Amino acid sequence: MLRYILPLLLLPLFLRPLIADVTSMTIVHDGKRATIPAFLNEGVLYSSLTEFAATFSLKTYVNSETHKMEVRIGEYRLKLADGNPFVVVVDHNKNVISEVYQLPVDVVRTQVAYYMPVSSILPLLSRVWGKSLLLDRSSAQLTVTTTSRPTARVTGTPTAGTTSPSESVARTAQTEKTDTADELAPADIAVEKASVYDISRISVDTRKNGTLIRLHTKKALKKYDEKLQDNTLTVTVENASVDANELRQTPTDGEGITEVKAEQLGRNARISFTLNDTYTSSQISRDVKTGDLLIALFKKVEVNKILKEEKQQDASRSKWKLDCIVIDAGHGGKDPGAIGVSGLKEKNVTLGIALKLGKLIERKMPGVKVVYTRKDDTFIPLDERGQIANAAKGKLFISIHCNSTEKRPSSAKGFEVYILRPGRTKEAIRIAEFENSVIKLEKNYQERYAKLTNESFILINMAQSAYARFSERFAELLHEQVQDSKQLRSKGVKQAGFYVLVGASMPSVLIEAGFLSNTNEEKLLSTRYGQQHLANLFYTAIENYAREYEKSLKE
């Protein structure tokens, strides 16, 4: 028994209060039985990943400086980090990230072992290992079998007591190492693989009279139902697999829906939406053309109020010259953009900020039309983004992105805003090269962008000189807002040759909201609060710009 207690006694002081009950977990496989250390905290059973790997002779690698562990299992490598809920799954043969799996709780490290939340990691282990896993929580026994159709099941209830939430102690933040040699992300861009799940993506469209949710499905799903209760909508789909990790990252506008959760319950999928508005009823149906599931949420509509608002907008539109703002959420669809330390995808952060910013403009600037280059997880070629802006007769184009470095985590941090001009610094040029590299995912990109030489950039700058001072001024206002907020350090206004800005015949800027390779900035950008905070700053800059813009038109 000392063998199982010792690793827990060696826990750092700030982790010891997390432990509720020291126990062990029995593993049954190939007619053999093995026992590994485990503990129970707040109803969650953790077992030693270190001992688990040793039991099955799995190769492991531990980085004691970064507190990370890597396990080779089947044809994959699983990368885990202390105090982090994300598991990075790497295809060992191709050496590329195949997925990022999110656990509901963090991985825990002692001085001699790493501990994994058993129930929640089982589906991932079963899938990459190709084995069936049955966990009986009442007896803390895991049965491993080799079958033609691997599955993961959890039964029983833990019998030991648990700690109360108040006994949990927050971890102290680790001091970030300074590394001045961080390199910007290379121009080669990773292509997101097609999902193997039946439900892997959600689109949300909030209107005045309600919200429409689209569950993008891989196959026709015939049995489903929805339940609306208080501020929660629960959708259950039978005989369907769901990518819970991807759906948790669904960007929302913060208006109708604030949070999305998903879980696999045996052969059924359950998706829960936290609502930020009062809805009177809901209805689910299937799109006969695409097979997608559509959930309509209805609000009580005050017709007279809506008509009055529309009349006010029509009256102000003739006076307000800045009547259309185009918001471009960078990346999307098969292009995930930069990947953060914990697996956060740039495309989800940029869309979340874009949707929240658009809602602020729509609510606070009547008469100003908001046009999005994308409102869901869709791949839009770079040149088409500018075409969308021009077709809408936009007066301001804002392209939102996130920065990253090749090394993760890194100390590089800060907000940047760019205007279209040939890059002056090596850093600016390399950032532009990375953002421009997405064209490799487009069909016939060599022909479509053949004329974008250094010389043509100069000609484009001359053609856009009429908008230059407005672009510069708006970039300065964005810089001032972020600098004054003290949440992020603004690195100022810079210039580079971003393709996405080329086609926009209007004042335009490209924003790098922060570094996903920086642990602290990634954490801020991943939260609804962080995205809303930036949207608020951007809106204030737009408001200030609008006043100056209107004044300049009268001069």
Side-chain angles (χ1 to χ4, degrees):
M1 179 60 74
L2 182 61
R3 174 192 174 204
Y4 311 127
I5 297 178
L6 182 59
L8 301 176
L9 295 179
L10 293 176
L11 278 171
L13 287 175
F14 62 83
L15 280 182
R16 287 183 188 170
L18 285 172
I19 307 304
D21 294 282
V22 178
T23 181
S24 61
M25 185 176 78
T26 302
I27 298 177
V28 179
H29 68 105
D30 296 334
K32 302 177 182 177
R33 299 175 70 89
T35 306
I36 64 175
F39 68 82
L40 194 66
N41 178 64
E42 296 187 3
V44 178
L45 177 65
Y46 292 79
S47 70
S48 169
L49 179 58
T50 308
E51 293 283 341
F52 178 87
T55 300
F56 293 97
S57 300
L58 303 176
K59 293 182 179 179
T60 62
Y61 169 75
V62 175
N63 188 323
S64 57
E65 293 185 359
T66 60
H67 298 161
K68 294 182 179 179
M69 180 178 183
E70 187 173 304
V71 181
R72 172 74 185 276
I73 181 167
E75 298 300 319
Y76 297 90
R77 301 197 310 271
L78 306 186
K79 295 185 177 183
L80 308 94
D82 177 35
N84 196 315
F86 293 95
V87 181
V88 179
V89 184
V90 179
D91 186 309
H92 182 71
N93 296 323
K94 297 179 181 179
N95 197 30
V96 296
I97 297 175
S98 62
E99 72 170 297
V100 179
Y101 187 86
Q102 185 176 9
L103 302 168
V105 292
D106 293 344
V107 171
V108 177
R109 177 186 63 90
T110 72
Q111 292 180 354
V112 296
Y114 283 74
Y115 282 78
M116 58 181 177
V118 187
S119 298
S120 52
I121 203 172
L122 281 192
L124 175 62
L125 293 179
S126 175
R127 186 152 33 87
V128 301
W129 203 8
K131 296 183 182 295
S132 289
L133 306 176
L134 172 61
L135 174 66
D136 183 352
R137 294 194 299 172
S138 60
S139 61
Q141 177 173 296
L142 176 65
T143 302
V144 181
T145 56
T146 302
T147 59
S148 58
R149 298 184 63 182
T151 59
R153 291 178 55 206
V154 179
T155 63
T157 304
T159 55
T162 60
T163 54
S164 64
S166 61
E167 291 179 271
S168 297
V169 177
R171 296 167 180 262
T172 56
Q174 296 181 356
T175 304
E176 195 172 25
K177 293 186 177 180
T178 302
D179 190 345
T180 58
D182 291 332
E183 294 291 339
L184 290 170
D188 292 335
I189 189 165
V191 180
E192 191 165 25
K193 294 184 177 181
S195 177
V196 298
Y197 295 92
D198 297 326
I199 305 172
S200 62
R201 188 160 64 92
I202 292 176
S203 301
V204 179
D205 187 8
T206 302
R207 302 292 180 91
K208 287 184 177 180
N209 62 338
T211 297
L212 179 65
I213 303 170
R214 178 181 290 269
L215 302 185
H216 297 266
T217 62
K218 190 176 181 180
K219 66 178 184 180
L221 302 172
K222 299 180 180 179
K223 293 185 178 181
Y224 42 81
D225 62 55
E226 96 287 355
K227 181 180 181 181
L228 178 62
Q229 185 173 6
D230 298 328
N231 66 333
T232 301
L233 170 70
T234 303
V235 178
T236 303
V237 185
E238 296 185 21
N239 298 316
S241 59
V242 61
D243 189 345
N245 178 59
E246 185 67 28
L247 263 60
R248 289 191 193 102
Q249 294 189 44
T250 299
T252 66
D253 58 18
E255 292 275 323
I257 296 173
T258 60
E259 187 178 18
V260 181
K261 293 181 180 180
E263 57 184 329
Q264 191 71 48
L265 302 175
R267 304 183 69 172
N268 301 334
R270 185 167 68 187
I271 307 167
S272 301
F273 301 87
T274 302
L275 309 177
N276 194 32
D277 213 331
T278 302
Y279 295 94
T280 57
S281 61
S282 62
Q283 181 179 350
I284 189 169
S285 61
R286 186 159 62 92
D287 189 325
V288 293
K289 291 184 178 180
T290 64
D292 295 343
L293 297 183
L294 304 175
I295 304 103
L297 291 167
F298 300 97
K299 290 191 288 188
K300 184 178 180 181
V301 180
E302 298 179 20
V303 178
N304 292 334
K305 183 178 179 182
I306 291 177
L307 291 174
K308 184 179 179 180
E309 289 177 355
E310 289 179 349
K311 288 181 180 179
Q312 290 175 347
Q313 290 181 7
D314 291 339
S316 62
R317 188 176 297 276
S318 60
K319 302 176 183 178
W320 190 251
K321 299 300 181 181
L322 185 64
D323 59 357
C324 181
I325 297 176
V326 182
I327 305 176
D328 173 48
H331 307 278
K334 61 184 177 181
D335 170 26
I339 304 296
V341 179
S342 64
L344 184 66
K345 298 174 184 176
E346 179 183 0
K347 67 175 183 178
N348 291 329
V349 176
T350 61
L351 183 56
I353 296 173
L355 294 174
K356 292 173 177 62
L357 175 60
K359 284 297 177 183
L360 285 172
I361 298 172
E362 291 169 349
R363 188 168 67 244
K364 296 186 177 184
M365 299 178 74
V368 176
K369 179 182 178 182
V370 177
V371 173
Y372 303 88
T373 57
R374 69 181 182 97
K375 291 188 72 174
D376 55 21
D377 189 18
T378 303
F379 177 74
I380 307 293
L382 291 187
D383 58 345
E384 288 186 14
R385 295 172 187 251
Q387 293 170 15
I388 292 171
N390 293 335
K393 297 181 179 180
K395 300 300 191 300
L396 183 62
F397 182 81
I398 307 168
S399 187
I400 303 172
H401 293 257
C402 296
N403 221 328
S404 184
T405 60
E406 187 173 7
K407 178 183 177 182
R408 293 176 294 177
S410 74
S411 59
K413 59 183 178 180
F415 166 92
E416 295 172 328
V417 57
Y418 285 84
I419 57 176
L420 177 65
R421 283 178 186 168
R424 286 183 174 177
T425 67
K426 181 179 179 181
E427 178 182 347
I429 292 171
R430 295 193 65 179
I431 291 175
E433 287 178 347
F434 174 69
E435 298 294 357
N436 292 342
S437 66
V438 69
I439 67 172
K440 296 176 183 178
L441 303 181
E442 303 174 19
K443 294 180 179 180
N444 303 320
Y445 75 90
Q446 294 96 334
E447 298 175 8
R448 295 171 66 177
Y449 298 91
K451 296 181 180 179
L452 289 180
T453 61
N454 289 335
E455 181 179 355
S456 66
F457 264 119
I458 296 173
L459 296 174
I460 290 168
N461 289 330
M462 292 173 64
Q464 291 193 339
S465 60
Y467 312 115
R469 68 187 182 98
F470 292 111
S471 297
E472 291 175 4
R473 183 53 186 152
F474 180 52
E476 289 171 358
L477 291 170
L478 284 167
H479 158 68
E480 291 169 5
Q481 285 299 314
V482 175
Q483 188 177 41
D484 293 343
S485 74
K486 296 183 173 55
Q487 285 282 355
L488 286 169
R489 179 172 68 90
S490 179
K491 301 171 75 172
V493 179
K494 301 185 179 183
Q495 60 186 56
F498 292 99
Y499 289 175
V500 71
L501 299 182
V502 169
S505 300
M506 64 201 70
S508 54
V509 299
L510 185 143
I511 292 168
E512 296 283 0
F515 281 79
L516 296 184
S517 52
N518 182 292
T519 305
N520 293 331
E521 291 193 354
E522 184 205 33
K523 185 176 181 180
L524 176 68
L525 293 169
S526 70
T527 63
R528 183 161 58 96
Y529 161 78
Q531 294 174 13
Q532 189 66 60
H533 176 70
L534 283 173
N536 292 343
L537 295 178
F538 298 166
Y539 172 76
T540 303
I542 292 172
E543 201 173 40
N544 294 337
Y545 170 78
R547 280 194 291 266
E548 293 187 15
Y549 178 79
E550 182 186 22
K551 183 179 179 181
S552 69
L553 293 180
K554 294 178 181 179
E555 294 177 351

